[in-house]
Amino acid sequence: MANQIYPAIVDGILGGGVYALMAVGLTLIFGVLDIINVAQGILVVVGAYLSYVLSVHLHIDLFAGLLITVPAMFVLGVVIHTTVIRPLRGSERTAMSLLACFAVAIILEGALYWIFGPDVVSLSASYVQSSFKVAGFYISYIYVYCFVLAVILVAAIYLLLYRSRFGRAVRATMQDPVAARLVGININRVAALTFGIGVAVTAAGGMAFGATSGGFSPNSGYDLISRLLAIVILGGLGSIGGALAASVFMITLESVVGIWSPNWAIVVFYAALVLVLTIHPSGLFGRAAVRAQ
Amino acid sequence: MTPSAVRPAARRQPRLSGRTALAVSGLLAVAAAAVVFPLAFPNPLATTYGFDTLIFIAAASAWNIFSGYSGYLCLGQAVFFGTGIYTVAIGARDWQLTGDAVFGLLPLAGVVAAAIAVPLGLVALRVRRHTFVVITIAFFFIFQLMAFNFAFTGGTSGIVAPILNWAGATYNNPFYYGALLLAAATIAVSWLIRRSRFGLHLRAIRDDEDRARGLGVRAMRVKMAAFVVSAFITGLAGGLWYYFIAAVQPRSAFDPLFDLSLALMGFFGGLGTVLGPALGALILEPAQLWLTVQFTNDYLSQILFGALFLVVILFLPRGVLPTASERITAWRAAHRDRRAPVSPAPPAPAPPPPAPHAPAPDEGFVP
């Protein structure tokens, strides 16, 4: 059994890094805008298809292609924020923004179906199939590369948030939007840029997802968003550290349970969420204020 | 509504009852039209559309009883719909019921869905807002996965319903009238709840749960009761749906678009109003069916559905009914001012046009 558990844990940690990248975008958007971007799942799939188009039709390497897809997704995020999210106001804004994001997700899913059809495709490169041997078991190169990419990007977001002027404005807006505005922060700009950044990481997340998941289709968005939501809620909405810890914990748990029964692994995943929230309603690292809202 | 807001309206008794009479006769006309619909359009396609729409009227109104009145947005209503479907499907299969006897299982569909709502509610109703929405989505996926993975649900291939040997030409009619009865009963229950003390508690929770608690509302109990009522009706609708469709797979029983459609219908018609969600279902479900038929391209109709969804949210954020009733009130007020025997002063200015939405007290920040 042990010779199965260790690889499963390593897989879980490496895969958890990829999910952490996608979850950070989601939790960042929540922290600043107080909305849950349920389109994040399908945006990851859009990012994966962008990488697919670049690598299949233009023969651009998956990682080099990110130089194109990340800015493209950033622009898409800013456009979504300006046209759909920002016009919403009023007392029902929370529910409305959730539904608006859902509408965006439906439109994007339909568009992907229309362009690419319902078939499962996968990203391939020389390093996707090959693997190396460590201590008696195999690890794919792509998992390691994607994990490194995720770590670099999460570190970049961390530096942006905690070591830059813009990051200070973002954190101020997360703490208290009214006070942030009073000290001269343009919170609409902060919100638009944060939404853009939150969506831009899905380009990298989508590439990593597409290369490590073994295949994706326009339908993959539902599965992704439900996992991402479980992760950010478990970590505590708005908590970046919580999102990192929760993704590694949840994906490792799923991977380990998957040794016994792959079908039930994902159920355990949601059951863990329900269990944690029953005991501690604001999540593992959540701010108490989130619950009191 | 506060008591002080009620009293002035009550004093104008005659006009109010005139309006009530108008509303009642309007409702009766709609009901009569619904009753004669299968006779006027015996075409099976028309009655199928009618049945679909009535099921959604019932389900959207049931969703509104909990989510609309309490403000807790539930995006896992398909859990109860699917539970109702699987309850009658498994019951009919394992007890080898055939013919009309299968309809005896329908109450069980509602009871099982309601029974499942209790533990779900105990977990989910402890949290609010986003977290609540996400938990209901998580429940939804847990149930869909269970339907896929358990043996007794028939797994991916699902279950096929026993055959009803009814005449083809009138096959749809009993289903249509069953759904009509369910839809009418749901709207009646919704109306009774809204004007009851229970409904007042629910709306107090929606407006400010902590203050409602402080004023003595037993929030958990009230929310749970509404959640269970909503689940019961949705389960019944699911059971009826199963016999009509005559087969079930996990993906059709637990369909994410079902959850979304209910929310869209509720928002389109008017969240928390008695007739709003029914109106939303009455408009949107046939529209969606029509789109699917019109554009044989399934994906295009999905894109159009999403776009319609966005347009509703952006331009009709409060729903058709509240917006329309505001317009009518404003028009009547303007009309009355003009006709009133006025003093020599210049005519009273028309009241300001109704704001498209009530500004929230903290609207200063809108990113």
Side-chain angles (χ1 to χ4, degrees):
Chain A
M1 191 51 73
N3 58 344
Q4 276 181 308
I5 285 184
Y6 291 129
I9 290 177
V10 172
D11 271 4
I13 291 172
L14 293 180
V18 173
Y19 273 88
L21 183 58
M22 303 186 256
V24 163
L26 193 57
T27 211
L28 195 63
I29 290 174
F30 173 82
V32 173
L33 288 99
D34 193 30
I35 63 171
I36 290 203
N37 177 22
V38 284
Q40 192 86 349
I42 196 73
L43 285 167
V44 169
V45 181
V46 171
Y49 270 106
L50 281 182
S51 288
Y52 174 78
V53 168
L54 288 183
S55 77
V56 170
H57 296 288
L58 301 173
H59 307 292
I60 297 173
D61 179 75
L62 292 179
F63 285 89
L66 290 181
L67 295 176
I68 301 168
T69 60
V70 170
M73 293 301 280
F74 176 80
V75 171
L76 180 63
V78 173
V79 167
I80 291 176
H81 175 260
T82 329
T83 54
V84 178
I85 309 295
R86 201 169 143 189
L88 296 174
R89 40 198 74 205
S91 52
E92 300 283 356
R93 196 174 147 269
T94 303
M96 286 306 196
S97 59
L98 202 86
L99 292 173
C101 290
F102 240 129
V104 169
I106 290 177
I107 295 173
L108 287 176
E109 191 197 351
L112 286 180
Y113 267 121
W114 203 5
I115 300 168
F116 297 102
D119 298 331
V120 172
V121 299
S122 58
L123 297 176
S124 61
S126 57
Y127 41 82
V128 168
Q129 271 81 23
S130 54
S131 54
F132 62 96
K133 195 175 177 185
V134 174
F137 54 85
Y138 290 94
I139 300 176
S140 320
Y141 281 106
I142 186 71
Y143 270 88
V144 178
Y145 290 170
C146 289
F147 183 74
V148 171
L149 174 75
V151 169
I152 290 172
L153 284 178
V154 170
I157 289 177
Y158 181 86
L159 286 180
L160 183 70
L161 280 181
Y162 287 91
R163 294 284 182 275
S164 77
R165 203 179 152 76
F166 171 71
R168 206 185 296 165
V170 169
R171 283 181 293 135
T173 314
M174 283 168 100
Q175 276 177 5
D176 189 335
V178 177
R181 204 157 73 153
L182 285 176
V183 297
I185 293 171
N186 182 350
I187 55 171
N188 278 331
R189 209 181 107 235
V190 167
L193 291 179
T194 307
F195 202 90
I197 292 170
V199 172
V201 298
T202 64
M207 192 280 286
F209 171 74
T212 57
S213 64
F216 57 92
S217 73
N219 196 32
S220 307
Y222 290 108
D223 188 40
L224 262 173
I225 188 59
S226 50
R227 281 173 207 229
L228 289 178
L229 287 176
I231 285 169
V232 295
I233 295 276
L234 187 74
L237 274 168
S239 159
I240 289 168
L244 298 179
S247 12
V248 174
F249 170 71
M250 292 288 249
I251 303 297
T252 308
L253 179 70
E254 190 189 343
S255 172
V256 170
V257 175
I259 298 173
W260 287 279
S261 163
N263 283 346
W264 287 105
I266 184 74
V267 175
V268 172
F269 186 97
Y270 294 119
L273 170 72
V274 170
L275 190 70
V276 168
L277 288 181
T278 313
I279 300 162
H280 199 258
S282 55
L284 291 177
F285 303 90
R287 297 171 294 177
V290 173
R291 195 196 170 207
Q293 282 168 56
Chain B
M1 201 184 285
T2 59
S4 59
V6 175
R7 238 172 267 128
R11 233 176 271 143
R12 291 195 297 266
Q13 200 56 42
R15 226 188 69 213
L16 198 75
S17 69
R19 274 176 71 180
T20 312
L22 194 73
V24 167
S25 52
L27 273 182
L28 282 178
V30 171
V35 169
V36 299
F37 176 80
L39 308 174
F41 301 93
N43 175 2
L45 193 63
T47 42
T48 302
Y49 279 20
F51 173 80
D52 266 14
T53 307
L54 287 169
I55 286 287
F56 271 97
I57 287 178
S61 299
W63 178 82
N64 183 56
I65 288 176
F66 172 70
S67 292
Y69 293 164
S70 75
Y72 276 73
L73 196 66
C74 175
L75 285 186
Q77 206 75 359
V79 167
F80 309 126
F81 194 71
T83 303
I85 292 178
Y86 272 105
T87 302
V88 293
I90 293 166
R93 185 192 62 192
D94 289 359
W95 296 327
Q96 276 137 27
L97 299 180
T98 48
D100 297 349
V102 293
F103 289 96
L105 287 173
L106 276 182
L108 193 63
V111 170
V112 172
I116 280 191
V118 174
L120 297 194
L122 282 177
V123 174
L125 293 173
R126 287 156 47 90
V127 295
R128 297 182 193 174
R129 280 178 32 113
H130 298 300
T131 316
F132 176 80
V133 179
V134 172
I135 286 208
T136 60
I137 296 176
F139 282 143
F140 165 78
F141 280 101
I142 290 179
F143 273 75
Q144 194 195 50
L145 287 161
M146 289 201 298
F148 270 118
N149 291 345
F150 275 123
F152 69 87
T153 58
T156 315
S157 47
I159 303 174
V160 178
I163 295 160
L164 301 165
N165 44 2
W166 294 350
T170 56
Y171 185 90
N172 285 349
N173 287 0
F175 285 108
Y176 178 89
Y177 286 114
L180 180 61
L181 192 67
L182 183 64
T186 308
I187 292 172
V189 167
S190 179
W191 181 71
L192 287 174
I193 286 179
R194 184 170 163 106
R195 62 196 296 275
S196 72
R197 192 185 172 80
F198 173 46
L200 197 62
H201 283 172
L202 278 173
R203 280 178 292 144
I205 287 171
R206 181 187 65 189
D207 291 342
D208 189 335
E209 181 161 351
D210 294 321
R211 197 173 295 174
R213 255 181 218 276
L215 292 172
V217 175
R218 301 193 164 195
M220 188 65 186
R221 215 177 275 191
V222 171
K223 287 184 288 185
M224 181 64 92
F227 197 53
V228 168
V229 168
S230 166
F232 179 81
I233 298 169
T234 314
L236 274 184
L240 198 57
W241 176 269
Y242 170 67
Y243 291 129
F244 185 74
I245 302 297
V248 59
Q249 291 92 33
R251 213 171 280 285
S252 66
F254 299 101
D255 180 3
L257 277 184
F258 177 83
D259 296 326
L260 277 186
S261 298
L262 295 189
L264 176 61
M265 286 161 184
F267 273 96
F268 182 79
L271 198 67
T273 60
V274 175
L275 289 176
L279 181 73
L282 190 61
I283 296 172
L284 292 179
E285 182 61 16
Q288 203 187 344
L289 292 169
W290 183 81
L291 275 181
T292 315
V293 174
Q294 202 67 20
F295 302 96
T296 42
N297 182 343
D298 238 15
Y299 311 132
L300 185 58
S301 70
Q302 182 176 353
I303 295 172
L304 287 173
F305 180 68
L308 175 73
F309 204 150
L310 265 188
V311 168
V312 169
I313 291 167
L314 291 178
F315 297 105
L316 268 176
R318 296 189 51 218
V320 172
L321 271 192
T323 311
S325 79
E326 236 166 48
R327 291 275 154 81
I328 291 172
T329 313
W331 180 82
R332 290 178 75 106
H335 205 66
R336 197 173 54 239
D337 284 351
R338 223 168 291 140
R339 276 196 316 188
V342 217
S343 52
H357 55 264
D362 59 345
E363 214 187 10
F365 164 62
V366 180

